[in-house]
Amino acid sequence: MLFERKLDPTTIAPKASTRYSVNFVGLVQHNGHDYLSCTDGRGLTMIRASMTESSGAILAGRLIPVEAVTAARKSAKSTNQASISCDDDGITVKDAGQKFQYAEGTFPDVSRVVPDLKTPQVRLRIDAKLLMKLAKALGSEQVELTFDGENEDGSIVANSPINITSCPGTKCCASALGSFAVLMPISKA
């Protein structure tokens, strides 16, 4: 199995498994493609992977230790592709000379939360650093995005401003209550 070395599905991995999250990476198929997927129960990463037929059949329904993906990424410093080999006995990161065992259990069914690309969607591109700066300015760890300007069919009007407010019930300073920020619809010419 190959995947882009710079992309890390384990970034969102929790420190320990719980009812809502697993501290492992799963092989997930979605819309005819293979992905390495990880979740902490609130967010989900889906990193495209290239599978051979045999490795896809072996990995189906198995949990890959986070350490195996991390070792594959570290050992691929001279290439853009990280590589993991798998068989019935476990996972091998050849470049690192390490062998890992599969974990017990199954990865959550992500088809219930991943949007179907056939239905109309709103595509939103936000600079993460800017969003973090706005959250910090509001004294909040979490923010809520609200879109103004709806078309008759319920879709968002292109180039409408996005209001940002602190989420109720999250850590934020008391003086931030009632404060807000706006992402301006400015496009580059």
Side-chain angles (χ1 to χ4, degrees):
M1 166 180 51
L2 296 172
F3 63 97
E4 185 72 31
R5 177 184 60 86
K6 291 185 266 182
L7 305 178
D8 186 5
T10 66
T11 301
I12 199 167
K15 296 202 184 320
S17 296
T18 68
R19 178 179 173 199
Y20 300 104
S21 63
V22 290
N23 188 20
F24 298 98
V25 177
L27 174 67
V28 175
Q29 291 190 333
H30 182 68
N31 286 346
H33 299 286
D34 295 315
Y35 296 89
L36 290 174
S37 185
C38 195
T39 182
D40 67 354
R42 296 174 296 165
L44 174 75
T45 56
M46 302 267 293
I47 305 299
R48 191 70 100 40
S50 300
M51 305 292 294
T52 63
E53 267 188 52
S54 60
S55 62
I58 291 169
L59 283 175
R62 295 215 170 147
L63 297 177
I64 303 168
V66 168
E67 295 82 12
V69 175
T70 302
R73 290 183 64 243
K74 284 182 180 177
S75 68
K77 291 187 184 215
S78 62
T79 68
N80 287 332
Q81 297 288 316
S83 176
I84 294 175
S85 299
C86 54
D87 57 30
D88 288 329
D89 296 326
I91 299 162
T92 304
V93 179
K94 289 181 183 173
D95 294 339
Q98 293 178 289
K99 181 102 173 158
F100 299 89
Q101 297 301 311
Y102 298 111
E104 295 294 320
T106 57
F107 197 77
D109 179 12
V110 300
S111 65
R112 297 184 334 194
V113 296
V114 176
D116 180 8
L117 298 179
K118 296 174 187 162
T119 58
Q121 299 178 19
V122 173
R123 188 171 304 270
L124 178 64
R125 188 177 303 183
I126 297 176
D127 181 337
K129 288 180 182 177
L130 175 61
L131 194 56
M132 289 171 33
K133 283 181 185 178
L134 293 173
K136 184 177 180 180
L138 293 174
S140 181
E141 291 180 353
Q142 296 179 0
V143 293
E144 179 177 281
L145 304 179
T146 309
F147 301 88
D148 287 338
E150 237 180 58
N151 289 319
E152 289 178 13
D153 64 357
S155 63
I156 296 172
V157 174
N159 294 329
S160 64
I162 302 169
N163 298 316
I164 303 171
T165 55
S166 297
C167 290
T170 63
K171 275 188 180 177
C172 79
C173 63
S175 60
L177 298 175
S179 298
F180 67 96
V182 177
L183 278 176
M184 308 297 263
I186 300 171
S187 59
K188 293 180 181 177

